[in-house]
Amino acid sequence: MAEIKVPELAESITEGTIAQWLKKPGDYVEKGESICELETDKVNVEIMAEESGVLQQLLANEGDTVAVGQAIAIIGEGAASAPPAPEKAPQLAEEPKPAVPVDRAEQPAPQPVAVAQAPGQRPIASPAARKMAREKGIDLTQVPTVDPLGRVRKQDVASFAAQPAAVPTAEAGKPVIREKMSRRRQTIAKRLLEVTQTTAMLTTFNEIDMSAVIDLRKRKKDKFFEEHDVRLGFMSFFVKAAVAALKKYPYVNAEIQGDEILLKKYYDIGVAVSTDEGLVVPVVRDCDRKNFAEIERDIAELAAKARSNKLSLADLQGGTFTITNGGVFGSLLSTPLLNGPQVGILGMHSIKLRPVAIDEERIENRPMMYVALSYDHRIIDGKEAVGFLKTVKDLIENPEDLLLES
């Protein structure tokens, strides 16, 4: 027999939550086959068997928090077997009674009865139901089900969540809803709080006339798609402009380690992606060596993986600078928070038509975007921050120069 343990995942990850078991006791498991899904602070990962055999015992339940190195199951030799049938309650012997004929039409049809688990008793529930309940902070023992065996299904949890779940507070008697934070949301909250407490964060703003980029994109997007099978968006322009600005202002591409500054001579740009479970920042590698099509393709693939919960830890680690686009949600202006240990983040916003003074006599409506650079003032001075943002502005307003920079 051998123990299946939670493997080393990443330096910053020490524990996770059993999201669902993919195998049950008695199942035969091949070496390398996934046996459970583990939810971590950053991504969900599947734990695989390191040898073939029969899954003898589960040492942790779905929803349990387990540490790296902890044994969660036992696998050994033997024949696979079906799960044991539920034990029947013993019945007292009764004297035989004469059969009484009953008209079939008079027999009442069986009606489903809502069943709720007793408090403290581990409920019978499908993995999908457990996952949904955990994400929504719902106690499965409180979820009624019409299943005759009392098994809670995903649709039962969804129905329960859709009901008004307000409960009065003890203090004021006002209705509130108490919702447990997901592991990922807890991590986001913790990291953002750490950033505000451990950095001297400051934000500078500018605005960009998007006319030239919009015109270039309109003229080239069809040919671009035909040649590269990927759409030309605005993000690749900003990634390339940011890389050029980082080369000009290297301290924005740095990191503080104790009393030293680590200047990074590579350009792995994190692109913030919003998912149902919170914001994640997958990283596009070596952006200085990639063309527009390669960057757009990487962004599209990472965004799709993020929204389908298929990002790996490697996709999220090692970024040197981050770009976030609140404009896709309609944000006009915001102050982005640093993605530690990085010392700079660029915020993009909505493109809006605004009157712009062309000269002393002319005013034109132009598609304008506010941009923001949040930075760690401990190593980046205001002059550098303003210069960085102005470099991005100049390159976006003159995309031909941006192509030359690339």
Side-chain angles (χ1 to χ4, degrees):
M1 291 189 179
E3 293 180 336
I4 297 176
K5 298 182 179 181
V6 179
E8 294 284 344
L9 301 169
E11 184 178 351
S12 60
I13 296 178
T14 60
E15 63 180 19
T17 301
I18 301 291
Q20 68 177 89
W21 284 103
L22 306 176
K23 298 291 182 180
K24 59 183 182 295
D27 286 350
Y28 183 81
V29 181
E30 292 284 356
K31 180 179 179 180
E33 191 174 3
S34 299
I35 64 164
C36 78
E37 182 182 0
L38 185 72
E39 180 184 0
T40 73
D41 296 344
K42 296 181 179 179
V43 294
N44 285 20
V45 295
E46 291 186 352
I47 296 180
M48 295 178 289
E50 296 183 356
E51 59 182 72
S52 300
V54 175
L55 192 59
Q56 304 285 357
Q57 184 181 2
L58 304 183
L59 304 179
N61 297 316
E62 291 178 354
D64 287 354
T65 298
V66 292
V68 169
Q70 179 179 335
I72 57 173
I74 295 176
I75 194 169
E77 299 178 354
S81 60
E87 296 182 2
K88 295 182 179 180
Q91 296 180 348
L92 297 177
E94 296 182 357
E95 296 182 2
K97 296 181 180 179
V100 179
V102 180
D103 186 0
R104 184 181 300 270
E106 297 177 0
Q107 294 181 352
Q111 297 294 324
V113 179
V115 178
Q117 303 290 335
Q121 178 183 348
R122 178 171 173 78
I124 305 172
S126 67
R130 291 188 186 280
K131 183 176 181 182
M132 178 179 287
R134 188 166 58 253
E135 292 172 349
K136 296 181 177 296
I138 294 174
D139 182 358
L140 281 173
T141 63
Q142 302 301 313
V143 179
T145 175
V146 295
D147 188 280
L149 297 178
R151 180 180 174 88
V152 180
R153 304 162 300 167
K154 183 178 180 180
Q155 52 265 46
D156 297 324
V157 179
S159 299
F160 184 80
Q163 297 174 0
V167 296
T169 63
E171 295 81 5
K174 300 293 185 180
V176 299
I177 295 177
R178 187 178 300 277
E179 182 176 299
K180 185 177 180 181
M181 294 172 68
S182 67
R183 173 176 289 274
R184 189 166 301 168
R185 178 55 61 183
Q186 292 179 46
T187 302
I188 292 172
K190 180 181 177 181
R191 292 190 63 190
L192 293 181
L193 184 60
E194 287 176 351
V195 165
T196 59
Q197 293 176 339
T198 60
T199 65
M201 198 182 79
L202 195 61
T203 305
T204 186
F205 303 92
N206 211 321
E207 62 178 351
I208 298 177
D209 185 344
M210 298 291 291
S211 301
V213 166
I214 290 175
D215 179 65
L216 177 62
R217 181 172 175 265
K218 189 177 298 184
R219 288 186 287 109
K220 299 292 186 180
K221 65 178 183 179
D222 292 338
K223 184 178 180 181
F224 187 89
F225 183 77
E226 290 176 4
E227 292 183 356
H228 304 290
D229 196 30
V230 65
R231 299 191 182 281
L232 177 62
F234 293 121
M235 185 59 78
S236 57
F237 287 92
F238 277 89
V239 168
K240 298 300 286 187
V243 168
L246 290 171
K247 290 181 177 179
K248 190 174 181 179
Y249 298 94
Y251 283 89
V252 186
N253 199 50
E255 177 182 331
I256 297 177
Q257 293 185 352
D259 59 355
E260 295 181 336
I261 298 174
L262 182 66
L263 293 169
K264 301 174 182 179
K265 307 306 289 183
Y266 58 95
Y267 305 91
D268 292 350
I269 308 300
V271 178
V273 177
S274 178
T275 70
D276 292 338
E277 296 184 5
L279 195 71
V280 292
V281 188
V283 179
V284 181
R285 309 288 175 185
D286 301 317
C287 291
D288 57 323
R289 303 178 185 178
K290 291 180 176 176
N291 58 32
F292 282 73
E294 290 170 325
I295 291 174
E296 290 288 358
R297 188 175 294 110
D298 285 355
I299 291 173
E301 291 175 355
L302 289 168
K305 289 171 68 176
R307 295 186 178 112
S308 61
N309 204 24
K310 293 182 179 178
L311 285 173
S312 68
L313 291 172
D315 292 327
L316 299 168
Q317 294 175 331
T320 64
F321 183 79
T322 294
I323 301 177
T324 180
N325 185 6
V328 296
F329 304 110
S331 172
L332 183 63
L333 190 62
S334 66
T335 302
L337 293 179
L338 291 172
N339 180 25
Q342 298 170 21
V343 295
I345 181 171
L346 177 66
M348 300 165 55
H349 299 91
S350 294
I351 300 173
K352 298 290 185 181
L353 279 176
R354 290 198 292 272
V356 176
I358 305 303
D359 52 37
E360 294 182 354
E361 297 181 353
R362 292 183 301 154
I363 294 179
E364 294 182 3
N365 286 333
R366 294 289 184 92
M368 305 297 293
M369 175 193 287
Y370 288 124
V371 288
L373 175 72
S374 291
Y375 59 97
D376 193 336
H377 205 1
R378 291 178 297 170
I379 64 170
I380 302 172
D381 295 330
K383 179 181 178 180
E384 291 177 298
V386 172
F388 176 95
L389 208 51
K390 188 175 185 304
T391 299
V392 173
K393 169 185 170 69
D394 291 343
L395 289 171
I396 295 296
E397 290 183 343
N398 299 278
E400 290 81 5
D401 294 343
L402 182 58
L403 294 174
L404 292 176
E405 285 282 347
S406 303

